[in-house]
Amino acid sequence: MTNPPRLTVYRSRLDGQPVTVRGDACPMCGRPDLEPHEIPGDGRIVVWTTIHIPPARYADEAPYTVAMVELEGGVRIMGRLIGEAGRELGARVRLQCVDPERGPIFEPVNPP
Amino acid sequence: MRDVSIAGVGSTSFGKLPDRGIVELATDACREALADSGIPHERVQALYLGNFVGERLADQGALAPIVARRLGLDGIPATKVEAACASGGIALRHGYLTVTAGIHDVVLVAGVEKMTDIPTGDVTAALATAGDEGLEMRTGLTFPGAFAMVMQAHMARYGTSREQIAAVSVKNHDNGAANPKAQFRKPTTIEEVVSSRFVAEPLRLFDCPPITDGAAAAVVCTAEIASQHTNRGVRILASGQGSGPVALSGMDDLTSFPATVRAASEAFGQARIAPGDVDVAEVHDCFTIAELVATEDLGLLPRGDGGHAAESGETAVNGRLPVNPSGGLIAKGHPVGASGVGQIYDLALQLRGEAANQVDGARIGLAHSMGGCGAAAAVHILAHD
C-alpha cells in the first residue's frame, strides 16, 4: 500500500508554526526566514464553490468544485474537490494528488 | 495641501457598444467631461487613465498616450493606472494627489474598458488575472467563484439569507431602470434572482454584473480654478487607498476586506466626518455579496447588517442610507477599468442635484472602488462645493 500524499508548506524558523503554502516570505512579518515542512494532506472545508462558468482553459471540465481547505496548523489552501459527497462547511477531506496544472485535488473522507 | 474639485464629468452609456473602440470610448467620455467643466482642453496638464484588461481584451497597450494625443493633448504626462477593478478609483486618486500637492493645476482622469466582443471564457480568464494564479486561480477558481466563497462565509457567520442577498440585486435593478446610462433598464424580482442559473454556486447570474463596454471621465483641478469656470463643481474632501491579500486563503476573515477598511479609515480621517454623515454612496457591488461586505467594511452599516438593510429598504434611493442609486455595477454595468470613475460621474450628478435617482438633499457622497477579491481599494468622499 502506498503512503497517502503529503503537502509541503512553509514554517517560520522563528517559532516553527506552519504559516504558508508558498515559501517566499512569512505573510505576517514579511521575513523570508521560512523552511519547508511536510504535513499530511488532511483537512476540513472552510468554504467551497461549484464553478458553472469556467475560464477558457478549463472549458470542458465545468461544472467542477473548488474548496478552501484548512490543513494541520491552520494553513489554508485552495484545491479542486472531487466527488459529489461532503460539500459542507467543516466536512473532512484528504489530498488525493497534486496536479501539475490544477494544484491540489482533494476528496471527501468517509463519503456516505 | 490645496483644495481640489471636480469641475466636470462625462460618461458614455454603459452596455454593448459595438460601434466604439476602446480609444473612442475613452475620448468620448473625456470630451464630455471637458465640455461639462468649461475648462479649455489646453489647460489639462496630465492624464490618468484607469484600465484593467485592455491589453488582453482589446489588444491595446500604451492606452494613455494614445488617448491624450487623440484629445489634442500630445506631450502631456499620460499614465495608465491598473489595479484590477479598482483601476478607475485609483486613477482618480492619482489625479487628486498631483493637484492637492501642487504638481499640476488641472488634470484629466478617465477609466475605460471594452469587453463585449470577446467570448465569455476569455473574459472570465482575463478577470481571473486579478487573483493569485500560482496559489489559487490555477485550480479553476474564477472571480464569481471567489465571491461565492465570501457569500457562503457571510451567510454562515451572520445568518444572512439567500433572499437578503438577492434584495441587493432587486434594489440595484430598480435603480438602473431609471438611469439612462445603465446597461440593464428592467426591474427584477427576488424569485427571478434566486432561480437564475448558477455562475459559481451559490452565486447566480442575477448576483453578477454584466460584461460591459464603457468609459467615464472627470476634470480634476484646484477648487479655485473650478470656481472660475463652473458653479457646478464638486469638492474632493478626501481620498483613501489600501491594499490586501490577493489570495483568498490569505484572508483572516472571509467576510471583510482590509483594503476597504484601511482606505475608508484614511478617507474619513482626512475628511473629518463619520460614516453616519454620508448622504449617498456608490460602492463596488461587483457581486450582490460585495455590496453587503462593502457597506459593512466602510462602517456605513454594523457588521452582519448588510442583508437586513437591503431587505428592509434602508439602502434604497428613498431609504436612510441610499447605496448605488445609479444601479451600481450590477445594473448600470461593469466596464472594469472604468467603473471607479463611473461612480464619480454618478456621485457628482447627485451632489449637483441632477441625478436620475436623485437623493433629496445629498451633500456628502462616498465612492468605493475595489480591485480583485480585496487586493486594492480606493475610497473618495465628495461634497457639494
Side-chain angles (χ1 to χ4, degrees):
Chain A
M1 191 173 151
T2 56
N3 291 326
R6 293 165 71 85
L7 274 169
T8 300
V9 299
Y10 294 84
R11 63 182 181 185
S12 167
R13 287 184 205 276
L14 300 178
D15 62 11
Q17 284 294 311
V19 289
T20 174
V21 291
R22 189 156 53 190
D24 48 0
C26 170
M28 260 72 92
C29 68
R31 287 198 190 95
D33 206 13
L34 298 174
E35 60 185 3
H37 173 57
E38 267 202 354
I39 59 171
D42 300 304
R44 288 182 183 275
I45 295 177
V46 181
V47 281
W48 60 272
T49 180
T50 298
I51 304 291
H52 291 258
I53 299 188
R57 60 181 156 172
Y58 300 134
D60 299 335
E61 298 176 16
Y64 54 83
T65 297
V66 178
M68 183 189 294
V69 174
E70 187 160 302
L71 303 164
E72 177 189 297
V75 178
R76 291 176 171 191
I77 189 168
M78 205 69 84
R80 289 276 185 104
L81 178 65
I82 58 169
E84 289 302 309
R87 288 186 207 162
E88 285 160 33
L89 310 193
R92 290 179 59 205
V93 296
R94 70 173 160 233
L95 186 69
Q96 191 204 51
C97 63
V98 178
D99 181 89
E101 283 160 34
R102 294 162 189 78
I105 313 282
F106 290 94
E107 61 185 358
V109 174
N110 304 323
Chain B
M1 305 296 261
R2 304 189 295 177
D3 289 339
V4 178
S5 290
I6 294 170
V9 290
S11 176
T12 67
S13 288
F14 281 14
K16 197 169 170 60
L17 306 171
D19 299 335
R20 306 305 278 164
I22 192 166
V23 175
E24 289 73 35
L25 288 168
T27 52
D28 286 352
C30 288
R31 287 199 183 97
E32 187 179 315
L34 283 163
D36 186 51
S37 74
I39 296 177
H41 83 284
E42 60 268 20
R43 293 206 56 184
V44 173
Q45 294 165 306
L47 168 69
Y48 289 93
L49 178 66
N51 175 256
F52 173 19
V53 283
E55 286 151 50
R56 251 180 108 122
L57 299 189
D59 294 320
Q60 185 61 66
L63 255 185
I66 293 178
V67 170
R69 188 173 173 88
R70 290 278 278 273
L71 291 168
L73 297 169
D74 200 20
I76 65 166
T79 307
K80 170 173 153 172
V81 176
E82 190 272 308
C85 298
S87 299
I90 293 175
L92 176 71
R93 176 173 165 84
H94 282 278
Y96 165 82
L97 289 176
T98 60
V99 174
T100 196
I103 294 166
H104 298 304
D105 296 325
V106 180
V107 305
L108 193 52
V109 171
V112 65
E113 212 71 68
K114 178 77 186 164
M115 307 173 76
T116 66
D117 42 9
I118 303 292
T120 301
D122 294 330
V123 174
T124 302
L127 298 177
T129 62
D132 190 317
E133 168 61 24
L135 280 186
E136 299 193 338
M137 307 320 268
R138 65 173 177 160
T139 64
L141 185 67
T142 59
F143 252 86
F147 279 89
M149 290 180 168
V150 171
M151 175 172 168
Q152 218 176 42
H154 201 279
M155 292 172 88
R157 176 154 181 183
Y158 295 112
T160 307
S161 71
R162 174 62 270 212
E163 287 72 22
Q164 287 176 332
I165 295 169
V168 172
S169 181
V170 173
K171 168 181 71 69
N172 290 356
H173 277 85
D174 279 346
N175 293 348
N179 182 351
K181 302 268 190 189
Q183 185 163 2
F184 289 154
R185 305 290 309 279
K186 276 200 320 206
T188 185
T189 61
I190 298 285
E191 295 68 37
E192 193 172 25
V193 177
V194 302
S195 61
S196 60
R197 66 192 169 96
F198 280 128
V199 173
E201 197 175 337
L203 202 79
R204 293 174 183 270
L205 187 63
F206 276 54
D207 290 303
C208 303
I211 290 169
T212 308
D213 304 327
V219 178
V220 176
C221 59
T222 63
E224 190 185 349
I225 292 173
S227 67
Q228 292 161 2
H229 292 270
T230 179
N231 55 13
R232 298 188 303 163
V234 171
R235 191 69 56 93
I236 302 179
L237 287 186
S239 171
Q241 182 180 349
S243 64
V246 176
L248 221 58
S249 52
M251 290 171 67
D252 294 330
D253 175 357
L254 286 168
T255 64
S256 173
F257 297 113
T260 298
V261 174
R262 184 181 180 125
S265 164
E266 183 186 359
F268 281 118
Q270 188 187 352
R272 298 179 190 220
I273 63 166
D277 297 322
V278 172
D279 297 317
V280 55
E282 289 285 335
V283 309
H284 196 85
D285 60 327
C286 54
F287 301 97
T288 44
I289 184 62
E291 178 174 311
L292 298 195
V293 173
T295 49
E296 296 171 13
D297 278 341
L298 292 163
L300 299 174
L301 292 169
R303 290 267 168 220
D305 268 20
H308 174 72
E311 192 174 43
S312 68
E314 201 178 335
T315 50
V317 174
N318 58 3
R320 182 187 68 80
L321 174 71
V323 175
N324 289 329
S326 69
L329 314 182
I330 284 177
K332 188 188 166 197
H334 189 19
V336 289
S339 293
V341 186
Q343 295 174 326
I344 299 302
Y345 172 85
D346 288 298
L347 268 191
L349 295 191
Q350 284 287 348
L351 298 171
R352 284 154 43 160
E354 303 167 3
N357 290 305
Q358 184 62 45
V359 172
D360 285 342
R363 294 193 62 82
I364 294 185
L366 179 146
H368 161 254
S369 179
M370 189 171 84
C373 204
V379 171
H380 288 90
I381 298 172
L382 310 185
H384 186 73
D385 217 357

